[in-house]
PDB file of all heavy atoms in Angstrom:
ATOM      1  N   CYS A 166     116.438  99.783 129.814  1.00 94.00           N
ATOM      2  CA  CYS A 166     117.749 100.436 129.944  1.00 94.00           C
ATOM      3  C   CYS A 166     118.820  99.443 130.367  1.00 94.00           C
ATOM      4  O   CYS A 166     119.939  99.457 129.835  1.00 94.00           O
ATOM      5  CB  CYS A 166     117.665 101.582 130.940  1.00 94.00           C
ATOM      6  SG  CYS A 166     116.706 103.003 130.370  1.00 94.00           S
ATOM      7  N   LEU A 167     118.491  98.555 131.312  1.00 94.00           N
ATOM      8  CA  LEU A 167     119.458  97.555 131.747  1.00 94.00           C
ATOM      9  C   LEU A 167     119.789  96.574 130.628  1.00 94.00           C
ATOM     10  O   LEU A 167     120.947  96.185 130.459  1.00 94.00           O
ATOM     11  CB  LEU A 167     118.908  96.802 132.957  1.00 94.00           C
ATOM     12  CG  LEU A 167     118.780  97.596 134.258  1.00 94.00           C
ATOM     13  CD1 LEU A 167     118.060  96.773 135.321  1.00 94.00           C
ATOM     14  CD2 LEU A 167     120.148  98.030 134.769  1.00 94.00           C
ATOM     15  N   ALA A 168     118.784  96.163 129.870  1.00 94.00           N
ATOM     16  CA  ALA A 168     119.023  95.208 128.780  1.00 94.00           C
ATOM     17  C   ALA A 168     119.923  95.808 127.712  1.00 94.00           C
ATOM     18  O   ALA A 168     120.817  95.145 127.173  1.00 94.00           O
ATOM     19  CB  ALA A 168     117.698  94.768 128.178  1.00 94.00           C
ATOM     20  N   ILE A 169     119.697  97.079 127.391  1.00 93.00           N
ATOM     21  CA  ILE A 169     120.538  97.734 126.377  1.00 93.00           C
ATOM     22  C   ILE A 169     121.983  97.783 126.838  1.00 93.00           C
ATOM     23  O   ILE A 169     122.914  97.483 126.071  1.00 93.00           O
ATOM     24  CB  ILE A 169     120.004  99.157 126.098  1.00 93.00           C
ATOM     25  CG1 ILE A 169     118.646  99.086 125.394  1.00 93.00           C
ATOM     26  CG2 ILE A 169     121.003  99.936 125.249  1.00 93.00           C
ATOM     27  CD1 ILE A 169     117.986 100.433 125.226  1.00 93.00           C
ATOM     28  N   LYS A 170     122.201  98.130 128.092  1.00 91.00           N
ATOM     29  CA  LYS A 170     123.568  98.231 128.605  1.00 91.00           C
ATOM     30  C   LYS A 170     124.229  96.849 128.699  1.00 91.00           C
ATOM     31  O   LYS A 170     125.414  96.700 128.390  1.00 91.00           O
ATOM     32  CB  LYS A 170     123.564  98.911 129.976  1.00 91.00           C
ATOM     33  CG  LYS A 170     123.204 100.392 129.945  1.00 91.00           C
ATOM     34  CD  LYS A 170     123.211 100.986 131.338  1.00 91.00           C
ATOM     35  CE  LYS A 170     122.999 102.492 131.311  1.00 91.00           C
ATOM     36  NZ  LYS A 170     121.640 102.854 130.851  1.00 91.00           N
ATOM     37  N   ALA A 171     123.479  95.834 129.125  1.00 89.00           N
ATOM     38  CA  ALA A 171     124.063  94.491 129.259  1.00 89.00           C
ATOM     39  C   ALA A 171     124.370  93.869 127.911  1.00 89.00           C
ATOM     40  O   ALA A 171     125.321  93.095 127.793  1.00 89.00           O
ATOM     41  CB  ALA A 171     123.112  93.588 130.050  1.00 89.00           C
ATOM     42  N   CYS A 172     123.589  94.186 126.901  1.00 86.00           N
ATOM     43  CA  CYS A 172     123.812  93.624 125.561  1.00 86.00           C
ATOM     44  C   CYS A 172     124.877  94.372 124.787  1.00 86.00           C
ATOM     45  O   CYS A 172     125.243  93.958 123.681  1.00 86.00           O
ATOM     46  CB  CYS A 172     122.506  93.619 124.773  1.00 86.00           C
ATOM     47  SG  CYS A 172     121.245  92.510 125.440  1.00 86.00           S
ATOM     48  N   THR A 173     125.355  95.490 125.327  1.00 81.00           N
ATOM     49  CA  THR A 173     126.386  96.269 124.655  1.00 81.00           C
ATOM     50  C   THR A 173     127.751  95.841 125.161  1.00 81.00           C
ATOM     51  O   THR A 173     127.953  95.676 126.363  1.00 81.00           O
ATOM     52  CB  THR A 173     126.186  97.779 124.925  1.00 81.00           C
ATOM     53  OG1 THR A 173     124.876  98.158 124.499  1.00 81.00           O
ATOM     54  CG2 THR A 173     127.226  98.600 124.171  1.00 81.00           C
ATOM     55  N   ASP A 174     128.683  95.638 124.238  1.00 59.00           N
ATOM     56  CA  ASP A 174     130.037  95.265 124.614  1.00 59.00           C
ATOM     57  C   ASP A 174     130.689  96.442 125.332  1.00 59.00           C
ATOM     58  O   ASP A 174     130.890  97.502 124.732  1.00 59.00           O
ATOM     59  CB  ASP A 174     130.840  94.896 123.365  1.00 59.00           C
ATOM     60  CG  ASP A 174     132.224  94.357 123.709  1.00 59.00           C
ATOM     61  OD1 ASP A 174     132.569  94.322 124.903  1.00 59.00           O
ATOM     62  OD2 ASP A 174     132.960  93.974 122.783  1.00 59.00           O
ATOM     63  N   PRO A 175     131.050  96.308 126.604  1.00 58.00           N
ATOM     64  CA  PRO A 175     131.626  97.446 127.341  1.00 58.00           C
ATOM     65  C   PRO A 175     132.973  97.880 126.802  1.00 58.00           C
ATOM     66  O   PRO A 175     133.389  99.012 127.012  1.00 58.00           O
ATOM     67  CB  PRO A 175     131.744  96.912 128.775  1.00 58.00           C
ATOM     68  CG  PRO A 175     131.784  95.434 128.633  1.00 58.00           C
ATOM     69  CD  PRO A 175     130.930  95.109 127.441  1.00 58.00           C
ATOM     70  N   ASN A 176     133.665  97.003 126.083  1.00 54.00           N
ATOM     71  CA  ASN A 176     134.974  97.363 125.541  1.00 54.00           C
ATOM     72  C   ASN A 176     134.861  98.353 124.381  1.00 54.00           C
ATOM     73  O   ASN A 176     135.852  98.953 123.985  1.00 54.00           O
ATOM     74  CB  ASN A 176     135.707  96.107 125.076  1.00 54.00           C
ATOM     75  CG  ASN A 176     136.028  95.188 126.236  1.00 54.00           C
ATOM     76  OD1 ASN A 176     136.340  95.636 127.328  1.00 54.00           O
ATOM     77  ND2 ASN A 176     135.916  93.889 126.008  1.00 54.00           N
ATOM     78  N   LEU A 177     133.643  98.488 123.827  1.00 49.00           N
ATOM     79  CA  LEU A 177     133.451  99.433 122.733  1.00 49.00           C
ATOM     80  C   LEU A 177     133.206 100.844 123.227  1.00 49.00           C
ATOM     81  O   LEU A 177     133.189 101.782 122.437  1.00 49.00           O
ATOM     82  CB  LEU A 177     132.268  98.989 121.859  1.00 49.00           C
ATOM     83  CG  LEU A 177     132.395  97.607 121.203  1.00 49.00           C
ATOM     84  CD1 LEU A 177     131.121  97.289 120.419  1.00 49.00           C
ATOM     85  CD2 LEU A 177     133.604  97.565 120.288  1.00 49.00           C
ATOM     86  N   LEU A 178     132.978 100.998 124.536  1.00 44.00           N
ATOM     87  CA  LEU A 178     132.653 102.297 125.099  1.00 44.00           C
ATOM     88  C   LEU A 178     133.859 102.896 125.799  1.00 44.00           C
ATOM     89  O   LEU A 178     134.711 102.191 126.319  1.00 44.00           O
ATOM     90  CB  LEU A 178     131.497 102.173 126.091  1.00 44.00           C
ATOM     91  CG  LEU A 178     130.230 101.488 125.539  1.00 44.00           C
ATOM     92  CD1 LEU A 178     129.198 101.360 126.640  1.00 44.00           C
ATOM     93  CD2 LEU A 178     129.667 102.265 124.371  1.00 44.00           C
ATOM     94  N   GLY A 179     133.885 104.228 125.851  1.00 42.00           N
ATOM     95  CA  GLY A 179     134.976 104.890 126.553  1.00 42.00           C
ATOM     96  C   GLY A 179     134.873 104.706 128.049  1.00 42.00           C
ATOM     97  O   GLY A 179     135.872 104.620 128.744  1.00 42.00           O
ATOM     98  N   TRP A 180     133.638 104.680 128.550  1.00 43.00           N
ATOM     99  CA  TRP A 180     133.423 104.502 129.982  1.00 43.00           C
ATOM    100  C   TRP A 180     133.002 103.066 130.234  1.00 43.00           C
ATOM    101  O   TRP A 180     132.199 102.512 129.501  1.00 43.00           O
ATOM    102  CB  TRP A 180     132.315 105.437 130.474  1.00 43.00           C
ATOM    103  CG  TRP A 180     132.753 106.851 130.548  1.00 43.00           C
ATOM    104  CD1 TRP A 180     133.026 107.680 129.515  1.00 43.00           C
ATOM    105  CD2 TRP A 180     132.959 107.613 131.731  1.00 43.00           C
ATOM    106  NE1 TRP A 180     133.391 108.917 129.950  1.00 43.00           N
ATOM    107  CE2 TRP A 180     133.363 108.909 131.323  1.00 43.00           C
ATOM    108  CE3 TRP A 180     132.857 107.356 133.083  1.00 43.00           C
ATOM    109  CZ2 TRP A 180     133.648 109.916 132.218  1.00 43.00           C
ATOM    110  CZ3 TRP A 180     133.144 108.366 133.984  1.00 43.00           C
ATOM    111  CH2 TRP A 180     133.535 109.632 133.556  1.00 43.00           C
ATOM    112  N   PRO A 181     133.503 102.441 131.287  1.00 44.00           N
ATOM    113  CA  PRO A 181     133.070 101.073 131.592  1.00 44.00           C
ATOM    114  C   PRO A 181     131.637 101.067 132.084  1.00 44.00           C
ATOM    115  O   PRO A 181     131.156 102.029 132.662  1.00 44.00           O
ATOM    116  CB  PRO A 181     134.030 100.620 132.694  1.00 44.00           C
ATOM    117  CG  PRO A 181     134.426 101.894 133.364  1.00 44.00           C
ATOM    118  CD  PRO A 181     134.463 102.950 132.278  1.00 44.00           C
ATOM    119  N   MET A 182     130.945  99.937 131.873  1.00 45.00           N
ATOM    120  CA  MET A 182     129.561  99.838 132.302  1.00 45.00           C
ATOM    121  C   MET A 182     129.466  99.748 133.819  1.00 45.00           C
ATOM    122  O   MET A 182     128.574 100.306 134.426  1.00 45.00           O
ATOM    123  CB  MET A 182     128.905  98.610 131.664  1.00 45.00           C
ATOM    124  CG  MET A 182     128.895  98.653 130.136  1.00 45.00           C
ATOM    125  SD  MET A 182     128.107 100.108 129.476  1.00 45.00           S
ATOM    126  CE  MET A 182     126.464  99.878 130.082  1.00 45.00           C
ATOM    127  N   ARG A 183     130.372  99.027 134.437  1.00 46.00           N
ATOM    128  CA  ARG A 183     130.322  98.901 135.894  1.00 46.00           C
ATOM    129  C   ARG A 183     130.772 100.193 136.549  1.00 46.00           C
ATOM    130  O   ARG A 183     131.693 100.847 136.089  1.00 46.00           O
ATOM    131  CB  ARG A 183     131.194  97.743 136.362  1.00 46.00           C
ATOM    132  CG  ARG A 183     130.667  96.401 135.910  1.00 46.00           C
ATOM    133  CD  ARG A 183     131.339  95.291 136.659  1.00 46.00           C
ATOM    134  NE  ARG A 183     130.903  95.270 138.053  1.00 46.00           N
ATOM    135  CZ  ARG A 183     131.154  94.260 138.863  1.00 46.00           C
ATOM    136  NH1 ARG A 183     131.833  93.219 138.449  1.00 46.00           N
ATOM    137  NH2 ARG A 183     130.742  94.288 140.109  1.00 46.00           N
ATOM    138  N   GLU A 184     130.164 100.514 137.645  1.00 44.00           N
ATOM    139  CA  GLU A 184     130.446 101.786 138.304  1.00 44.00           C
ATOM    140  C   GLU A 184     130.898 101.569 139.737  1.00 44.00           C
ATOM    141  O   GLU A 184     130.628 102.347 140.627  1.00 44.00           O
ATOM    142  CB  GLU A 184     129.190 102.668 138.274  1.00 44.00           C
ATOM    143  CG  GLU A 184     128.728 102.926 136.855  1.00 44.00           C
ATOM    144  CD  GLU A 184     127.423 103.685 136.836  1.00 44.00           C
ATOM    145  OE1 GLU A 184     127.092 104.312 137.853  1.00 44.00           O
ATOM    146  OE2 GLU A 184     126.743 103.663 135.813  1.00 44.00           O
ATOM    147  N   HIS A 185     131.593 100.444 139.960  1.00 42.00           N
ATOM    148  CA  HIS A 185     132.028 100.158 141.321  1.00 42.00           C
ATOM    149  C   HIS A 185     133.494 100.516 141.529  1.00 42.00           C
ATOM    150  O   HIS A 185     133.974 100.528 142.635  1.00 42.00           O
ATOM    151  CB  HIS A 185     131.835  98.676 141.641  1.00 42.00           C
ATOM    152  CG  HIS A 185     130.502  98.180 141.210  1.00 42.00           C
ATOM    153  ND1 HIS A 185     129.339  98.826 141.536  1.00 42.00           N
ATOM    154  CD2 HIS A 185     130.151  97.103 140.461  1.00 42.00           C
ATOM    155  CE1 HIS A 185     128.311  98.161 141.035  1.00 42.00           C
ATOM    156  NE2 HIS A 185     128.781  97.122 140.369  1.00 42.00           N
ATOM    157  N   GLY A 186     134.220 100.747 140.473  1.00 44.00           N
ATOM    158  CA  GLY A 186     135.643 100.993 140.571  1.00 44.00           C
ATOM    159  C   GLY A 186     135.939 102.455 140.835  1.00 44.00           C
ATOM    160  O   GLY A 186     135.060 103.268 141.109  1.00 44.00           O
TER     161      GLY A 186
END
Side-chain angles (χ1 to χ4, degrees):
C166 290
L167 291 173
I169 292 174
K170 291 180 174 67
C172 294
T173 303
D174 186 357
N176 295 324
L177 300 178
L178 306 177
W180 286 70
M182 300 304 297
R183 294 194 70 168
E184 301 175 20
H185 314 310

